[in-house]
Amino acid sequence: DIATCSVDDDVKQALSVMHTRRVRRLPVVDREKGLKGILSLNDIVRSSGNGDPSQAAVMSVVTRLCERPTGPKPSAALAASKA
């Protein structure tokens, strides 16, 4: 399942998806699911100076993306599934 945002979503909604799915970029799709562009966290950071979204909200996502994931490393999980 690929995380996306809609052309109708506001920046806060896109930021929420980035936070939840731990991604730095989102494909932007129209109502027919056609690709319209890519929204990056960098795009949001650069636009956050106007207050929407708040810099605190942006930093929350950046912090989450920089956290180490918990649980087994993907390579360890793959090796365990082959055993």
Side-chain angles (χ1 to χ4, degrees):
D1 184 34
I2 297 173
T4 63
C5 63
S6 166
V7 294
D8 299 321
D9 290 347
D10 64 21
V11 175
K12 290 178 184 176
Q13 290 170 303
L15 197 59
S16 176
V17 173
M18 288 178 170
H19 184 270
T20 302
R21 298 294 294 272
R22 295 182 65 131
V23 296
R24 290 176 172 83
R25 292 171 197 83
L26 287 175
V28 180
V29 296
D30 60 18
R31 290 189 176 112
E32 291 78 34
K33 303 297 181 190
L35 181 64
K36 292 299 180 183
I38 302 289
L39 178 66
S40 72
L41 185 56
N42 188 50
D43 296 332
I44 294 173
V45 168
R46 290 176 44 203
S47 72
S48 68
N50 66 11
D52 187 35
S54 72
Q55 291 179 350
V58 172
M59 287 309 301
S60 172
V61 173
V62 170
T63 300
R64 176 150 167 81
L65 289 172
C66 293
E67 291 174 350
R68 289 184 173 219
T70 58
K73 293 182 180 178
S75 57
L78 180 60
S81 70
K82 291 183 179 180

